[in-house]
Amino acid sequence: MTASPPADGAPRTVRALPAAFSFEPWTTALVMIDMQRDFIEPGGFGESLGNDVGHLAQVVEPAKALVAWARMRGLLIVHTRECHRPDLSDCPPAKRLRGAPSTRIGDPGPMGRILIDGEAGADFVPGLEPLPGEVEIVKPGKGAFYNTSLTHVLVSRGITHLIFGGVTTEVCVQTTMREANDRGYECLLVEEATGSYFPEFRDATLAMVRAQGGIVGWTASLSDLVRV
Ligand code: C5J
């Protein structure tokens, strides 16, 4: 017989690595990183860099389940999008010019200008849009704290714990989690709800996060989390 979950607001503990992770829903936020068409669908930024975006398709349904659980539990939900202003004034030339992509940030593509706010590609994949009352953070960098209001959002709501999902694990998810860890947040990464164009990088990131007694934070499976 499965035990019924504790009443709303009660502290919860989920099986995790390197040890159990405890949190209170009212002081915990879900941070869903960059579940955007530009990274997940063909024709966007991710594919322009030569990546096989098919690797990220499997993240969408677990990410939806994670968001649904967070809504049901009453967590603050923060959705981030990585993109730039149409005039590219917040895009460092080093970011735009590096490498040999098929199209660069700001160039036209099948989903509009690549990685530009307001274009279809920079939008959330269907089913992962914020609901009214949830927070949307538009970020120019890989980390969600750089040049955004995220610190203010979290401090003003008394948030101490962060649960992470999104893409890509070793780039924007890991960068943001490390930024959060340095700011004193207790961070948990949900294994099935994050993905990479390089599955081995995802696995390595999960291992790095929880190594050395949780040097960056914890990892847990979605199935364990949605039970608490
Ligand atoms: C990348 C991201 N990979 N959201 N962005 O450039 O991880």
Side-chain angles (χ1 to χ4, degrees):
M1 196 175 98
T2 347
S4 46
D8 275 357
R12 286 166 164 78
T13 298
V14 58
R15 187 163 62 166
L17 290 171
F21 180 79
S22 297
F23 63 99
E24 294 182 357
W26 306 145
T27 55
T28 303
L30 171 66
V31 183
M32 188 54 72
I33 301 283
D34 300 355
M35 291 299 291
Q36 295 165 249
R37 299 183 64 195
D38 255 322
F39 294 107
I40 295 170
E41 295 185 12
F45 180 60
E47 195 175 70
S48 80
L49 298 176
N51 295 307
D52 175 1
V53 296
H55 286 295
L56 300 192
Q58 66 200 28
V59 178
V60 174
E61 289 309 314
K64 286 183 190 171
L66 177 57
V67 170
W69 168 83
R71 285 178 181 145
M72 187 265 296
R73 281 283 163 253
L75 270 60
L76 173 69
I77 304 182
V78 177
H79 307 256
T80 73
R81 287 192 296 118
E82 178 186 347
C83 56
H84 296 280
R85 296 184 194 134
D87 64 3
L88 296 175
S89 57
D90 61 353
C91 181
K95 180 174 180 180
R96 184 173 140 76
L97 299 176
R98 190 172 307 154
S102 55
T103 45
R104 294 188 189 274
I105 296 169
D107 289 348
M111 293 189 285
R113 293 178 67 202
I114 300 283
L115 219 60
I116 297 296
D117 197 13
E119 303 284 346
D123 209 347
F124 297 101
V125 293
L128 279 167
E129 304 88 351
L131 290 183
E134 297 176 356
V135 176
E136 180 176 343
I137 296 283
V138 176
K139 62 186 184 63
K142 305 305 181 194
F145 288 87
Y146 170 67
N147 229 345
T148 73
S149 60
L150 183 56
T151 298
H152 172 74
V153 167
L154 300 178
V155 169
S156 66
R157 297 178 194 227
I159 298 295
T160 57
H161 290 57
L162 300 175
I163 296 177
F164 285 93
V167 298
T168 61
T169 318
E170 79 281 11
V171 184
C172 290
V173 175
Q174 181 171 213
T175 302
T176 303
M177 208 168 159
R178 287 177 181 273
E179 288 180 330
N181 186 50
D182 281 350
R183 285 164 174 78
Y185 293 96
E186 305 283 21
C187 300
L188 173 79
L189 178 54
V190 182
E191 293 159 8
E192 300 85 341
T194 187
S196 171
Y197 303 119
F198 307 91
E200 68 276 22
F201 289 177
R202 171 190 168 277
D203 295 346
T205 302
L206 291 167
M208 269 184 240
V209 161
R210 62 191 176 220
Q212 305 177 70
I215 194 126
V216 179
W218 287 254
T219 68
S221 76
L222 179 64
S223 55
D224 283 334
L225 184 62
V226 297
R227 274 206 289 268
V228 304

